[in-house]
Structure formats: structure tokens, C-alpha cells
Amino acid sequence: MNHVRPILQTILAIVFAFLVAAIFILLHRSSPFEVYGALYQYGLGSWFSFSNTLNAAFPLILTGLSASIAFMSGVVNLGQHGQFLWGALVCAVLGVYLRLPSWLAVPLLAILGGLAGAAWAGLAAFFKRRYRMDEFISTLMLNFLAEYMTLYLATYPFLDPKAYVPATRLIRPEYFMTGVFGVNVAFFVAFFMVFLCWWFAWRTWQGYEARMMGYNKLFATVGGCDVESDTTLILLFSGFLSGLAGALLILNGTQHRFTKGIGANFGWDGVMIAIMANNGVFQTFFYALFMGFLKNGAVGMEFETSVPSEFVMFLQSIIVLTLVGTRSGIASLTDWLRAKRELGKLVK
Amino acid sequence: MKKFLFLVVLLLSTLLLAKPSRVAYVINGSLGDQSFYDSGYAGIKKLEEDFKVQTRVIECNFDPSLYYPSLVTAAQWADVIFVISYGFEEELKQVAMKFPNKIWVNIDTVVQDEKGIISSVDYREEEGAFLAGVVAAMVTTMTDLAGINPQKIIGAVGGDDDIVIRSFVYGYEQGAKYIDPEVQVKVIYVGTWDDPAKGKQAALQLYAEGADVVFQIAALTGFGVLQAAKEVGKYAIGVDSNQNPLVPGRVITSDLKEVGKSIYTVFKMILDGTFERGKVYSFGVKEGMVGLAIDEYTRKILPESVIEKIIDIQNKVASGEIKVEPYRP
Amino acid sequence: MLVEMIDICKVYPPNVVALKHVDFSLERGEIHALVGENGAGKSTLMKILSGLIRPSFGEIRVNGQRVQINSPVVAARLGIGMVHQELALVGSLRVYENVVLGSEPSRFGLLQPQKSSQMVKQLAERFGLNVDVDAITQELSVAGRQKVEILKQLYRNVDILILDEPTAALTPQESEELFDEMFKLRERGKTIVFVSHKLDEVLKISDRITVLRKGEKIATVKNDGSISAAQLAEMMVGKRIELVSIKARRPAGDPVLVVKDLSLVDRTSGKKLLDGVNLTVHAGEVVGIAGVEGNGQNELIEVLIGLRKPTSGSIKIMGEDVTNLDPRQRRAFIAYVPQDRKNVGLALKATIMENLIMTHHMNPPLRRKWLLDKSVAKDFASRLIKDFEIVCRGPFEKVQNLSGGNQQKVVVAREISLNRQLILLDQPTRGLDVASTQYLRDQVLMLRDSSKAVLLVSADLDELMDLSDRIYVMRSGRIVAELDPRTVDKTVVGYHMLGVSA
């Protein structure tokens, strides 16, 4: 019962969200059946579409985990974007210059990218310990720094002079990660990280301290948790996940190089996914897939029904908003109904 | 054997797709720039009218995470895909490999895959920019014109510091030196393609440094350059589409890149059967795809004698009498 | 009848039944006591009357008219006002400003401070409330601020004044003064609802008494000498319980906690929060800290547990200097039941098990290197739930679903099972019902008998007198007296708390 109820709520919320969005589609004088048909066809309908959805989701899973792990511990890491960029840049640059057998280089590059993200988050941890600077503001500001610093590095010292946009050179082709039946290996790495995060949060004692810190920081402090170290650890871990997302995007994405704007919206999408997922690890995985599906399917929707792209983004927001709203709505509705029933028993 | 089979498939598919009915236009940026992307869109719309084909436009809004899904989706839906692929050349190659029987036309840059699936339309932008440089240099030396200072400085505002924009600047400088070797060219790369506020700021800086004419090479960002010209009473040169009417009396001319016309021309070749896969189509002044927009707005600013001289130089570039050096990275 | 509440039911979503068919009435000019354990529904009933929440069922009549009290504004219009336990005053304003706040007398849109001050002064005199209306509010004592709240209601012309546990934070002397003032209000025709669970006070001042138990009205009785405290207690609890604690004094052992010259200065204001505190707690004794709230007790506890660093002085536990250790290290010596269980003692959204293993989690067998042993944790939690009789559905239930008493049991179970030599108890029975209170007192005495050193901070003087072997009285951050509860009277402690000589 404990696990069934949230799942039912989520399903109900998604159905309701699509119904609400359907109203807007009708207002736009399109057919919801056509629009959702296209969404399905391009997002899930075939193995090809489905594998593309999985491939679109893997960076989102990792940035989502990065945000979830931080938020569940009460650490407000909003620096996913910057940590992602550093992971991507370090991986892209080393991928050009490093000469190692690929079985060694590929995992090494991924880990180094993750460490770069961790180091960038570590700056925020350092500011917090040393100067009591709130990580909420420091991680946010570090995003801007990362944006400009990585762009500078890609535009000048590491520029590929033959590229049409500011970009580093392609990494060595033998470092390109492959896929299994069209599903990128990076997806499986992300999937593994989901389990690692779950294991960390629910099986290790530092995970326990972190979660308690997230519930109630004063309680954890008084209970003897080493709140400072835990916060640092969480920031580093969270940064590692974002950095890993960036590195894997270079190794197993479509670009294989650092280009301007490569961070796209992965960082903020991760934050949004964490919020939708209530910071749950497996929920994060689910909602990242859901976002990947929307992203991937939305373009198809645009093609088949010729709705403008602004409308597609609008629909996405409607779905997300309704989803989050409905989930709490259902909870209070069931509460209200139970209260009514209880009163009914009382006054007959 | 494999190669042979591939060729057969190719041949068959070209025969089957003799009459393409669905055309997609996938761009890295967004419409509404009133120049480059919009020019291509006009061409796509014209295809719809003249050939009764279905068309779709996918704007990636400079979000690299959308490039791949957009191409994949376009390939699933369309027969012919026109792509403006700045920054996603790699994706284009990958997706083209997966859908080799579609017709892929890349515009404004050269993307070549091993199997020769993708065709490219490459503009000799140096030629157009050369003419823009000619106009700018002539105007900055016409001190009798309102708002022109005695300094021989002209400027340019570029989007990113990349190959295409450097090609523009390279041609622009050649044109300026052709008129007067003493003319100094100042360039600012703003680093965005969709932020007019930054374009305006950059242009204001150039005007303050003594430039009389600023050439905008920055899509929507460059719209700010035109506004800046109006604000300080100086002159600007537009790019890609005819931007002369946007700020009347301040935009002397526009360096046209006829993206729409090229799309139309290429599509007609596809219908005629004269289109070749894997080919790089080089379009310049001679083909009428690059050149200056000279209209009544230009005539309001410049005297007829000057305009005649400009047209004369344009003709010389077209005939090959004046050789414009291409930029080599 | 001035007010009639008929057949009131209240269900809080999802399924908490707070009130079941409760009838309640008020007559003009009476002091009506509303008694019951925590969770009996006293506050819910009064919140309904004062418009803060709406009943699920039932009707309310004022002067025979059926009314809907949808908000406190409507309640005020009907002449009903409530003084809450948490006083909501603006500390930096003067008393009269607080009183008139929200309905200031004005002329041509201008405030008239002179007039306000005078009006409030007259009001205070008319109702015999002894308070300086021009004083800055935050400089007043809790009792003083309470009077301001009462004045505020009187200024709004209420006829029915609801006082929610007004004596909880008062000294005996202050309580007496409040009672006098309540009598004066009654003489002038006001009706007072006195919410309390201090039975002796209730019997002393009220005209009628209504007893609630578990959401139901047990009885409304006239207080004409025919009812005793024991009878009331039985009505409240439902079974006869002994409200006495056995105080078998045993010789104290070695000193466990030794505090020397402990001072704490507030960095921003420079105010001395703790001023040269010296105290000792021996093994096998309960040492009480008495004092009016806000006189340094909170700070003392915070410094002892390591949340704040003292400005000077030293703390030794079992001979070891812990002054510079952080809370994590100190927890090796100290068990701690904090005053604020919701914000300090528990993580409400976590499970009972997660709350029970806190602090225990740092050591084996729960901790195995990197891991937390889940099966050990579950067994451990189940054992504590059984031993401490925590009423719940199991170790994986969330703590927020438990009643206040059971929540406190979770805290106490965790801390006592730590088996530390020193135990800090900060207001451990606040907000608990009679049965839980009794349970907790028994636990304290058991700890003492097993040679632990217990430091007990409480605002409840009776509790301190009953449990402590020695009592330190704190005032303005200083220890002003050390008393033996067997030889001195409660009122003497009160005098020391207030700083007046006997």
C-alpha cells in the first residue's frame, strides 16, 4: 500500500495533465488524438523512437539525480549547469590530447569529467565552510562563471579552427562510446548511478545522516551528525553526477566535442525533475525518462500537426505544472474524502 | 559488394522519390531575425505555393540538445531536408547515415560525409562582404554627408568569432582597402545571435570610437546595430535579407545572402533531376545569390554617381574582373 | 445563555476526529474552565468559537441567534476574542500602540498617539489591569505581555474572553495576580473561558467546569465545592491515577557535570546571556533549574550540548574538559531531551525507526564501516517501541502521525537507551497529557536510581519540586539561589525567580 499509492497518484496526475493539455490543443484548433498520436509515435512508438528517448534522457537522469541527492539532504545545489559544463569541457579537451588504450581512456575520461564537476561544486563547499556563504547563491553564481570560462576556453585556447561555431576539436574517434541495439552505453551508466544513489541514501550511514539533515538540520546537528562534512560530501557527490552527465554527453552524445551552448538546459531540467520527483531516487529516474520522452516526441508532434514550437514548449509546461499540481491535489482530495467519510460515521 | 548494394538503394530511392512531397527546414536558430533564417523561410513558403508540397520548419533556438532529435524527426517525416547546421555538423552526418535515401541539403557551410549523401550550398560571402566594404569605405570618406567624421574608420559587429563570420570580415576588409588603403576596420564579436541589446551596445562602442558605418553580421543580434545607427545618426549596413527599410535613411544597403532563392533553385534542380548528391554548390555574386540590396532607401542617402560606381564594382566582381580572395582558416 | 455550541463535530483531514458531538455553553459574567488532557479537543473547540477554524458539523448560537463564525473578524464583531499561548505582539512598539494596532483612533486620517495612550490607560484602570501603557512591549515580562493581549481584546469591546493556558509560563505570584484581574473582569460583566489542565487553579477560580476527553464532553459541573481535584482528574483521564511521585533521597555520588564560571555574551547586543554560571550535578541526583522563561535556561542548555560556544568558563563531564568539543563529540557523554521536540528532537517526516537510531547510528552494531545495518536498526527500533510502549503501527510509520505524547516517547526512548552518564531534560513534560507526564516522571526517577546525573529544566514548579534533589534558580543569566525542595516552600522559589525578597 505504501508504494502503490504514490504510483497510482502519479499515473492519475499524468493522465489528468494530458487531459488539461488536450483542452489547450482543442483551443488551438488541432486534434488532441493527432497530437498525442505523434507524441507517441516519435517518442515511444518504435524501438528506434524509444531508444532515442532513452538516449535523450541519460543526461537528464544524471542532472536530476544531482539535484535530488542535494535537495533530499537540504543542500541547495543549483549549480548543475556549471558543473555539467566543466565535466563536458574537461572530458572534451582531454579526449583530444590523451593517448591511452580506449578501454582505459573512456572510463577515465568519464570519471575525470565527474571529478571536474565535483571540484566546481567543491568551490561552493569551500566558500560555505570558510566564509559561511550560502550554497544557494554561490552555486548559482558559479554557473555564470563556468559558462563564460568554458566558452572562453573553447573559443580561444582549445578552438578547433575548422569549426563553424566556437568548439573544441573532435575527441579521438576511438573514444566514442557505443550503444547496444541503439541504446547508448551512457544510459546504462546513468541507470547504474540511480542504484548507486539509492544505495548511498538508504544503505550507508552517511546517506542516513544526509537524509536526516534534509528532514531537519537542527535535529541532525543535535543528534551528533557531522553536518559540515556531510554537506561537503553531498556537494561533491552532486557535482560529480552533473560533471559525469557532461562528460558522458561528450563521449556518447551526438557532438563528441565541446561546443557553445552544449549545456543546453540540462542543469535546470535536472532541478525541475528533482522537484517533480519529490527528490526520490527512482522517481527521478522515471521523470527524467518522461522528460526525455516529451523532448523527443515534441519535435515529432511539431512535424505531424504543424503546431508551432512555442506551443510545444507551452504544452510541456502545462503538463509539468498540472502534474505537480495534481499530485498534491489528489492527496488533499483523498484526505478530504476520508474526512467526509469519518464525519459521516459520526453523525450518520 | 556492400558499396554496390548501397548504390542500388540510392538509385532506387531517387527513382521512387522522383516527386518529393514533404520538405523540412531545420535551423539551429530561430525565425524572426528579419534576415538569414527568415530569408530561407520565405523560400520554403514559396515552395509550398509553387509546387504544392507540404513544408515544416523546426527551430532549435540555439539549443544543442534539440539538434539531434530535430534531425531524426525531420528525416522520418520529410523527403527533402534543408538544414542550417551551424554547430551540429556531426549530428547531420550521423543522421544522414541513418537515412541515406532522403535528400539532405546543408546551407551556408560545407558538410561532407564519407558516402556523399549530404549536398551543400556554400556562399562566397567574401564577395558580398567585399561590396559592403566598398560601400562603407566610400561613405566614410564622403565627409560632406551628414554625420560623417573625417576619420577613416569603419566597423563590423559579428555574432560569434567563427569561420563564416571571419570570411565576412576578410571580404569586408578587402573591399574597404580597394577603395582606400588607409581605411581602418574595427570588429567586435558579441558572442550571441539573438540578443539585439548586446548588438546595440557593441555598435554604440564602435560609433564612439569613430566609425561612421557599421556592418552587422550577427542575425537578430545585429538588429541592435541598426537601432544604434538611428540613435546616434550614423550609418549601418544590413545583412542576409534586405534590411534597408527597417531603419529608413540609416541602413545604406544590405549584403544579401539569398538563402530563400538558393533553396528554391536547389529544389527546382531536384525536380528537374539535375540535382547531384554530395555536391557542393558554390553561390556568389555571379549566380545572383550574393550581392547588395540597392533600392529607394539607398538612393535617399547616396547620390546617383556613387551608386553607379558601386554597381560597376559589383558587375566587375560578377565577371571576375575583380578577384576577391576567399578566407582560409 | 450567552453562547451555545450544539452538537459540534470536527474532523481534520484525512481522518483525525477531534470533536464528537460536543455541547458547550457560556453564561454572562462567568469564569468557565475548560479542562482536558492534550488532544482532548480544548483548543479545537475554542478555535471554532473564535473563528479560526470551522466546525464540520453542529451549530453555534450567540444570544439565541444562529451564527456562522467564519473568521476571527466575525468573532470579534460578535464580541468573542481569544488570547493565544503564543503572544502575537510587536515587541518594539509601546504597549498602547500594540493595543490600538489595527483600529487606531484617528482624526482626518492622522493618528493621535496622545489620545490612544489616554484611552488605553483609562481602559486599563477601568478593568483593574496593572500595566504601564507607555512601556516598550518587549521589555515586559510574559505576564505583562499577556495583559497587553487582554487589553487588546477589551479595547475591541469583547464580551467573551478566551484565555488559552494563560498560566503555563507564569510564576505562582504572577498567576495570583492574573486571577485577581480575572475576577475584576467578571465583576464588570465579562465572560471568561479559562483553558487549563492545572486542576488546582481551575478549582480555585472558576464558576463552572467543562471536562473534555478524547474529543467528547464528559461533563459540565458547577464548582460549588462538591467536586474535588481527584474527581476532575478521573474525569479527564478516565481511570484513577496516582499523582504522586516517590522521592526517596539517596546519597549522591561523584560529580558528573561541573560547570565553572560559564558566561555567554551576545555578539550583537553585548548583552550577557549567561553570567558566571557555576553548577554541579552528581551521579544519582536530579538537579532542577527553575526560573521565569527567558532568563538564560535555553542558553545554558545550548552551551552544554555544544550548539553555542561559551564566551568564557569551562564545562567538565566526568572529569573531562568538553568546553571545546562539538555536539558530535559531546554526545558520547550526554543524553538530551530538548524542549522543542518538533524542531530539535525529531525529524517529523522521517520514520520512527530513523528517529530512534539517531546518535546510536554512529557506533556498532548499527554502523558497519560505510553501512548502516538495516536489520539491526529494525530490531532495535522494534525493541524500543515495545519497551517504551510507543503506540504506533510499526517502526516504518512516520513520526508526524503520532500523538504528542508518543512523539515525546520516541525522543525519550532514544535518549535513555543511549545509556549516557549525564542526561539533560529541557521541559520534558511540556504539552504532555497526564498519563505521559506521569510516565516521564517515573523515568526520571528510575534514571536517578540507576546512578545517572540528571539536569532538569522546567517551567512547571510543581514538577521541579516533586522531582529534584536540589534546585538552582536562574535569573538574568545568573544562578541566584541553590535550594533544597524538601526544606523550602514553592513560593520561596517563586520569590527568587522574580527577584523579590520574601
Side-chain angles (χ1 to χ4, degrees):
Chain A
M1 185 61 200
N2 252 345
H3 295 287
V4 177
R5 224 180 119 184
I7 292 174
L8 278 177
Q9 279 184 5
T10 306
I11 293 172
L12 255 172
I14 288 179
V15 169
F16 186 64
F18 277 102
L19 285 178
V20 170
I23 295 170
F24 285 93
I25 295 171
L26 282 173
L27 286 176
H28 187 261
R29 298 183 191 289
S30 297
S31 148
F33 292 107
E34 251 176 57
V35 170
Y36 289 151
L39 192 65
Y40 172 78
Q41 187 196 333
Y42 286 88
L44 283 176
S46 62
W47 178 253
F48 182 74
S49 304
F50 180 62
S51 59
N52 277 327
T53 292
L54 297 187
N55 293 342
F58 83 76
L60 297 173
I61 296 172
L62 290 169
T63 52
L65 284 177
S66 167
S68 289
I69 284 285
F71 297 167
M72 79 163 59
S73 314
V75 177
V76 193
N77 177 15
L78 294 177
Q80 280 79 15
H81 184 63
Q83 292 144 17
F84 181 98
L85 286 176
W86 277 112
L89 186 86
V90 166
C91 177
V93 170
L94 291 177
V96 175
Y97 298 107
L98 202 68
R99 274 165 201 277
L100 285 172
S102 56
W103 60 266
L104 179 64
V106 173
L108 185 69
L109 285 173
I111 291 170
L112 285 175
L115 290 179
W120 195 247
L123 271 181
F126 170 76
F127 290 148
K128 178 154 191 147
R129 282 189 96 135
R130 191 64 181 274
Y131 304 110
R132 290 170 181 271
M133 202 186 272
D134 202 334
E135 76 276 7
F136 165 69
I137 194 77
S138 61
T139 52
L140 207 56
M141 291 298 118
L142 283 168
N143 281 343
F144 292 101
L145 273 184
E147 177 90 46
Y148 287 110
M149 286 169 75
T150 55
L151 183 61
Y152 171 82
L153 290 173
T155 316
Y156 299 103
F158 299 113
L159 177 74
D160 175 2
K162 288 206 233 55
Y164 288 113
V165 293
T168 62
R169 289 201 280 162
L170 279 185
I171 61 168
R172 297 160 63 81
E174 61 264 36
Y175 296 165
F176 289 13
M177 274 165 84
T178 50
V180 185
F181 297 114
V183 180
N184 288 350
V185 171
F187 173 78
F188 298 104
V189 177
F191 191 59
F192 170 76
M193 293 313 284
V194 173
F195 276 93
L196 189 75
C197 287
W198 171 83
W199 179 82
F200 168 77
W202 296 93
R203 284 292 176 264
T204 66
W205 71 278
Q206 275 201 305
Y208 165 76
E209 287 200 350
R211 283 190 300 113
M212 292 307 117
M213 199 163 79
Y215 284 130
N216 182 344
K217 197 168 169 188
L218 196 52
F219 166 68
T221 312
V222 166
C225 298
D226 193 345
V227 173
E228 279 204 343
S229 306
D230 291 341
T231 304
T232 304
L233 178 80
I234 290 296
L235 269 173
L236 292 178
F237 185 37
S238 167
F240 179 86
L241 289 166
S242 289
L244 181 67
L248 288 176
L249 192 74
I250 298 293
L251 293 168
N252 210 357
T254 51
Q255 299 255 336
H256 301 299
R257 58 163 67 172
F258 186 95
T259 61
K260 183 188 176 190
I262 195 167
N265 208 28
F266 291 122
W268 292 111
D269 283 347
V271 171
M272 187 164 77
I273 286 166
I275 291 169
M276 289 203 288
N278 245 331
N279 309 335
V281 172
F282 291 110
Q283 291 94 311
T284 299
F285 175 70
F286 172 78
Y287 281 107
L289 288 184
F290 183 67
M291 282 292 291
F293 161 69
L294 281 186
K295 260 194 166 185
N296 199 37
V299 192
M301 186 159 122
E302 212 174 325
F303 266 98
E304 290 294 340
T305 59
S306 109
V307 292
S309 65
E310 284 81 2
F311 188 70
V312 172
M313 284 188 326
F314 172 75
L315 266 194
Q316 271 185 32
S317 323
I318 287 284
I319 288 175
V320 170
L321 272 179
T322 322
L323 196 78
V324 175
T326 313
R327 205 176 41 205
S328 50
I330 290 173
S332 52
L333 184 72
T334 48
D335 283 357
W336 184 78
L337 285 174
R338 281 171 74 188
K340 274 274 158 210
R341 204 173 58 205
E342 209 61 46
L343 183 70
K345 270 193 244 162
L346 209 59
V347 293
K348 279 171 209 96
Chain B
M1 182 66 192
K2 227 177 170 181
K3 207 160 190 182
F4 173 73
L5 262 178
F6 184 75
L7 275 174
V8 170
V9 169
L10 252 179
L11 241 150
L12 273 174
S13 57
T14 11
L15 280 175
L16 284 171
L17 289 170
K19 260 215 166 304
S21 61
R22 289 170 154 192
V23 179
Y25 178 48
V26 180
I27 61 177
N28 67 321
S30 13
L31 295 181
D33 64 339
Q34 302 187 341
S35 79
F36 187 63
Y37 302 114
D38 283 3
S39 160
Y41 182 61
I44 294 285
K45 279 280 141 203
K46 201 147 179 271
L47 294 186
E48 206 169 81
E49 281 167 28
D50 292 5
F51 303 112
K52 305 289 169 237
V53 290
Q54 273 183 283
T55 65
R56 292 281 188 273
V57 184
I58 296 298
E59 307 161 66
C60 295
N61 300 317
F62 302 101
D63 177 352
S65 70
L66 288 178
Y67 294 162
Y68 189 81
S70 300
L71 286 176
V72 165
T73 315
Q76 284 170 274
W77 183 82
D79 307 315
V80 180
I81 305 113
F82 290 97
V83 187
I84 292 175
S85 71
Y86 283 97
F88 58 109
E89 296 82 8
E90 281 308 310
E91 279 94 338
L92 177 54
K93 285 185 209 169
Q94 287 169 29
V95 178
M97 296 282 253
K98 283 186 182 157
F99 297 89
N101 50 350
K102 304 280 175 171
I103 295 177
W104 297 91
V105 184
N106 181 56
I107 291 169
D108 207 29
T109 53
V110 178
V111 176
Q112 283 172 307
D113 59 304
E114 301 148 35
K115 293 187 173 161
I117 300 162
I118 306 164
S119 314
S120 296
V121 171
D122 185 31
Y123 297 98
R124 301 194 293 277
E125 43 268 309
E126 294 89 346
E127 297 181 359
F130 178 89
L131 296 172
V134 165
V135 173
M138 285 167 87
V139 170
T140 196
T141 46
M142 291 166 59
T143 40
D144 48 335
L145 211 62
I148 301 294
N149 61 28
Q151 286 167 286
K152 293 181 181 176
I153 300 175
I154 60 173
V157 171
D160 275 322
D161 185 357
D162 65 30
I163 298 178
V164 174
I165 299 308
R166 281 191 208 170
S167 307
F168 267 102
V169 172
Y170 191 61
Y172 186 57
E173 283 170 342
Q174 288 180 57
K177 301 282 191 251
Y178 179 83
I179 295 299
D180 185 343
E182 286 175 20
V183 170
Q184 206 191 331
V185 181
K186 292 190 174 181
V187 186
I188 293 179
Y189 299 100
V190 283
T192 76
W193 297 102
D194 51 3
D195 188 348
K198 280 196 180 145
K200 185 173 175 183
Q201 206 180 355
L204 288 175
Q205 190 185 328
L206 288 171
Y207 289 127
E209 287 175 16
D212 299 313
V213 186
V214 173
F215 179 29
Q216 78 99 337
I217 338 168
L220 189 59
T221 298
F223 192 65
V225 174
L226 313 185
Q227 291 173 324
K230 184 180 178 187
E231 205 173 290
V232 297
K234 300 267 184 180
Y235 298 95
I237 296 176
V239 80
D240 296 338
S241 300
N242 184 359
Q243 298 181 320
N244 302 3
L246 293 182
V247 182
R250 287 295 149 208
V251 184
I252 309 167
T253 180
S254 296
D255 171 13
L256 298 177
K257 196 180 252 189
E258 302 276 14
V259 180
K261 200 166 152 190
S262 335
I263 289 178
Y264 193 83
T265 308
V266 171
F267 192 75
K268 245 169 91 180
M269 284 198 270
I270 296 171
L271 292 181
D272 296 347
T274 53
F275 173 80
E276 289 174 55
R277 280 172 186 278
K279 186 177 170 175
V280 177
Y281 293 91
S282 176
F283 289 164
V285 173
K286 188 176 152 203
E287 291 80 8
M289 300 295 187
V290 168
L292 293 182
I294 290 173
D295 56 12
E296 69 268 27
Y297 295 100
T298 316
R299 285 175 221 284
K300 262 186 215 157
I301 304 167
L302 299 179
E304 198 56 42
S305 60
V306 177
I307 290 177
E308 268 167 33
K309 199 173 164 196
I310 295 168
I311 292 176
D312 182 48
I313 294 175
Q314 177 160 336
N315 289 338
K316 280 179 181 165
V317 171
S319 69
E321 200 182 325
I322 295 174
K323 264 220 153 312
V324 181
E325 282 293 313
Y327 175 75
R328 292 195 203 290
Chain C
M1 284 294 165
L2 182 57
V3 169
E4 285 170 284
M5 298 176 81
I6 303 155
D7 208 13
I8 302 290
C9 296
K10 175 68 193 178
V11 183
Y12 286 109
N15 57 354
V16 182
V17 180
L19 292 175
K20 294 180 222 168
H21 306 286
V22 171
D23 297 326
F24 181 74
S25 64
L26 289 173
E27 284 168 31
R28 188 174 299 281
E30 71 166 342
I31 295 178
H32 193 137
L34 186 59
V35 300
E37 292 187 281
N38 265 78
K42 305 184 299 264
S43 315
T44 302
L45 190 66
M46 288 304 108
K47 279 180 186 163
I48 289 173
L49 185 58
S50 60
L52 280 171
I53 56 176
R54 295 189 202 182
S56 310
F57 188 80
E59 65 172 86
I60 304 171
R61 290 185 189 170
V62 176
N63 290 323
Q65 294 280 319
R66 191 170 174 175
V67 291
Q68 298 273 344
I69 309 181
N70 292 330
S71 74
V73 178
V74 177
R77 210 176 297 142
L78 294 167
I80 303 167
M82 182 159 172
V83 175
H84 295 270
Q85 251 177 299
E86 290 87 21
L87 305 175
L89 295 169
V90 185
S92 55
L93 291 186
R94 292 183 188 281
V95 167
Y96 73 86
E97 288 173 316
N98 260 309
V99 171
V100 299
L101 194 66
S103 47
E104 296 89 344
S106 63
R107 202 171 173 196
F108 311 122
L110 294 173
L111 296 179
Q112 295 176 294
Q114 207 65 42
K115 195 176 166 198
S116 307
S117 167
Q118 242 161 36
M119 279 172 67
V120 175
K121 197 175 278 172
Q122 281 166 10
L123 193 73
E125 275 165 19
R126 184 145 59 93
F127 288 100
L129 287 166
N130 174 25
V131 62
D132 175 9
V133 299
D134 293 317
I136 302 285
T137 310
Q138 65 196 1
E139 288 168 1
L140 298 180
S141 64
V142 179
R145 274 178 279 168
Q146 214 164 45
K147 284 178 204 164
V148 181
E149 283 277 13
I150 294 172
L151 263 179
K152 198 168 170 163
Q153 296 301 335
L154 294 175
Y155 178 77
R156 279 158 186 72
N157 261 327
V158 301
D159 293 319
I160 301 156
L161 194 60
I162 304 165
L163 304 178
D164 189 11
E165 308 216 9
T167 58
L170 302 188
T171 61
Q173 290 81 359
E174 287 170 334
S175 297
E176 285 301 327
E177 194 179 336
L178 177 70
F179 297 150
D180 283 342
E181 284 157 359
M182 284 166 70
F183 293 139
K184 281 180 198 153
L185 287 170
R186 181 176 59 185
E187 277 167 30
R188 283 161 184 75
K190 302 289 180 192
T191 305
I192 297 171
V193 183
F194 177 58
V195 181
S196 179
H197 53 219
K198 293 188 179 172
L199 297 182
D200 49 344
E201 290 177 359
V202 166
L203 287 169
K204 195 159 148 192
I205 63 166
S206 46
D207 301 311
R208 287 200 299 162
I209 303 167
T210 294
V211 184
L212 292 181
R213 182 169 83 219
K214 288 179 181 160
E216 285 178 275
K217 188 174 105 167
I218 301 303
T220 298
V221 293
K222 271 214 157 61
N223 184 23
D224 49 12
S226 61
I227 187 137
S228 70
Q231 283 169 306
L232 268 183
E234 196 182 324
M235 280 196 269
M236 275 167 67
V237 184
K239 63 181 179 195
R240 185 178 290 277
I241 50 165
E242 295 294 321
L243 273 176
V244 285
S245 52
I246 312 97
K247 209 158 51 175
R249 174 91 213 234
R250 304 204 320 184
D254 299 329
V256 173
L257 173 70
V258 180
V259 173
K260 277 226 165 71
D261 298 323
L262 201 64
S263 293
L264 178 71
V265 178
D266 187 58
R267 250 188 242 148
T268 44
S269 68
K271 196 179 163 196
K272 280 191 175 178
L273 301 171
L274 290 178
D275 190 359
V277 171
N278 285 295
L279 60 84
T280 309
V281 185
H282 299 89
E285 74 171 344
V286 177
V287 172
I289 304 271
V292 177
E293 267 183 75
N295 275 277
Q297 301 98 311
N298 286 343
E299 287 78 7
L300 176 65
I301 291 288
E302 281 175 3
V303 170
L304 286 179
I305 199 70
L307 284 176
R308 298 177 82 159
K309 288 240 177 301
T311 316
S312 64
S314 74
I315 305 163
K316 277 189 183 158
I317 302 176
M318 314 205 13
E320 196 164 330
D321 191 333
V322 301
T323 319
N324 292 314
L325 301 186
D326 61 26
R328 188 185 188 86
Q329 294 158 323
R330 286 191 205 199
R331 289 299 241 133
F333 308 99
I334 307 175
Y336 170 43
V337 177
Q339 170 182 164
D340 184 351
R341 63 172 170 269
K342 288 193 161 79
N343 290 312
V344 187
L346 296 166
L348 292 177
K349 286 182 181 164
T351 63
I352 294 173
M353 182 181 90
E354 286 167 338
N355 274 284
L356 282 173
I357 63 175
M358 181 49 80
T359 315
H360 297 270
H361 77 280
M362 293 189 286
N363 301 307
L366 272 163
R367 180 178 168 184
R368 289 188 327 198
K369 284 189 184 163
W370 290 81
L371 301 182
L372 202 65
D373 194 315
K374 279 277 163 177
S375 62
V376 172
K378 197 186 160 210
D379 292 345
F380 173 76
S382 307
R383 204 186 73 224
L384 289 190
I385 289 170
K386 199 163 144 262
D387 290 355
F388 288 82
E389 293 167 353
I390 300 166
V391 181
C392 63
R393 273 182 281 168
F396 299 113
E397 189 172 7
K398 286 190 174 162
V399 166
Q400 64 188 4
N401 294 344
L402 301 184
S403 68
N406 278 302
Q407 288 181 353
Q408 187 71 343
K409 276 185 186 172
V410 171
V411 179
V412 170
R414 176 183 71 219
E415 296 303 325
I416 287 177
S417 60
L418 277 172
N419 199 22
R420 300 291 193 252
Q421 203 52 41
L422 174 63
I423 294 131
L424 303 183
L425 301 173
D426 192 1
Q427 314 276 14
T429 59
R430 171 167 287 184
L432 293 192
D433 56 36
V434 175
S436 303
T437 302
Q438 188 56 39
Y439 175 87
L440 217 106
R441 291 181 177 188
D442 291 342
Q443 289 289 337
V444 171
L445 295 175
M446 265 165 61
L447 286 169
R448 182 197 63 187
D449 293 343
S450 58
S451 295
K452 306 288 185 196
V454 181
L455 185 67
L456 171 69
V457 177
S458 181
D460 185 341
L461 260 188
D462 295 318
E463 179 169 286
L464 280 177
M465 299 296 286
D466 284 351
L467 294 176
S468 314
D469 298 307
R470 280 187 296 134
I471 292 178
Y472 291 107
V473 183
M474 278 190 92
R475 196 173 71 238
S476 310
R478 269 189 302 251
I479 302 273
V480 291
E482 185 185 341
L483 305 167
D484 185 339
R486 285 164 307 170
T487 58
V488 296
D489 187 64
K490 205 165 87 172
T491 48
V492 178
V493 183
Y495 286 135
H496 283 291
M497 285 162 69
L498 292 169
V500 290
S501 49

